[in-house]
Amino acid sequence: KDSLVVFGDENVSGYSAKDHENRVELFERMIKKRFNFVWGAQSTIDIYQKPELLKLMRAAGCRALFLGLETSNSDLGEQVNKSFADRIDYKEAIRVIHKHRIGVIGSYILGLDSHDKSYVKQLPKVVKKLNIEYPRLFFLTAWPGTPLYKRLQKQGRIPKGYTQVRKDIPNIVYSHFSENEIREAHNYIKKNFFTKPYIAKIVLRWLFKDPPM
């Protein structure tokens, strides 16, 4: 039975031409070795612009990519350093990745200053339109030493005794949500992510439209 391996690199495709060459060499060697495991990794969304690399990754055993995604232009660059993302058609990008028979785990943030109550209703619809396999939802988190942390600290939005720096619990003062409201929003979004029809759609696509993962 195949084992599952997760690559810890924050961007499996790298950032430079040299990185790209190194990845090509790595995946070609993995293909020749015929390792008995499948694997997943984290990447930036622009990996879809590298079809030859995706082809090698699939042949080397890649079955899923973890991608950080946003839902609207107002999210872009607000608290995340992804200036390239506003030039990318997410639906097309994910279509290309799926074309290479690689699944997509989409990571979303809840609690940006641009997120109001309408975002809570919008996000599940956006995810379903993109056809990603598995969405992950995290609370906006201000990591100490980051520009976001310094800005929120000046605004008085970092609680005293700020010790629980975790993405899975609310831990700052949000612009449009109280702590209870953002917890309820988180639960609502997750509940509407994982509806039975959507799960069935994803499973059937992998079983019949695309070769098995």
Side-chain angles (χ1 to χ4, degrees), residues 2-7 12 23-24 26-41 52-65 100-103 206 212-213:
D2 290 346
S3 299
L4 173 64
V5 173
V6 178
F7 283 25
V12 71
R23 291 346 184 246
V24 168
L26 170 64
F27 299 142
E28 287 178 342
R29 289 188 178 188
M30 290 175 68
I31 293 167
K32 290 178 181 178
K33 289 285 187 179
R34 298 183 179 180
F35 291 118
N36 189 32
F37 60 79
V38 294
W39 54 275
E52 291 305 315
L53 188 65
L54 287 170
K55 182 178 179 181
L56 284 174
M57 289 168 61
R58 168 70 195 195
C62 181
R63 295 297 180 268
L65 286 174
H100 289 84
R101 296 150 55 199
I102 296 174
W206 281 107
M213 294 179 69

Side-chain angles (χ1 to χ4, degrees), residues 145-207:
T146 62
L148 174 62
Y149 181 91
K150 293 175 182 177
R151 178 171 69 81
L152 295 185
Q153 192 174 44
K154 287 181 181 179
Q155 295 174 351
R157 295 169 58 188
I158 299 293
K160 293 182 179 179
Y162 186 68
T163 56
Q164 290 190 316
V165 189
R166 292 168 44 185
K167 297 185 292 184
D168 61 331
I169 59 173
N171 49 56
I172 62 173
V173 177
Y174 299 94
S175 290
H176 300 287
F177 301 91
S178 66
E179 181 176 338
N180 286 336
E181 287 173 339
I182 204 164
R183 286 183 183 275
E184 291 174 359
H186 190 275
N187 291 335
Y188 173 88
I189 292 170
K190 287 201 301 181
K191 180 180 177 181
N192 283 274
F193 274 159
F194 299 109
T195 60
K196 290 181 180 179
Y198 186 70
I199 294 172
K201 176 184 174 182
I202 296 300
V203 171
L204 290 173
R205 186 178 79 231
W206 281 107
L207 287 177

Side-chain angles (χ1 to χ4, degrees), residues 117-131:
K117 302 300 190 297
S118 65
Y119 176 83
V120 178
K121 304 287 186 180
Q122 176 193 16
L123 184 55
K125 297 176 183 177
V126 170
V127 170
K128 291 174 183 179
K129 287 180 181 178
L130 292 178
N131 287 323

Side-chain angles (χ1 to χ4, degrees), residues 84-113:
F84 61 82
D86 58 351
R87 302 187 298 272
I88 290 178
D89 180 339
Y90 279 10
K91 192 170 183 65
E92 173 62 12
I94 292 171
R95 185 195 69 78
V96 171
I97 295 170
H98 280 161
K99 180 182 177 182
H100 289 84
R101 296 150 55 199
I102 296 174
V104 173
I105 301 170
S107 173
Y108 291 89
I109 295 173
L110 174 62
L112 299 180
D113 287 351

Side-chain angles (χ1 to χ4, degrees), residues 66-99:
F66 182 91
L67 307 176
L69 304 174
E70 289 81 36
T71 58
S72 66
N73 288 339
S74 61
D75 288 352
L76 301 172
E78 182 184 326
Q79 279 92 9
V80 288
N81 184 22
K82 296 180 182 177
S83 59
F84 61 82
D86 58 351
R87 302 187 298 272
I88 290 178
D89 180 339
Y90 279 10
K91 192 170 183 65
E92 173 62 12
I94 292 171
R95 185 195 69 78
V96 171
I97 295 170
H98 280 161
K99 180 182 177 182

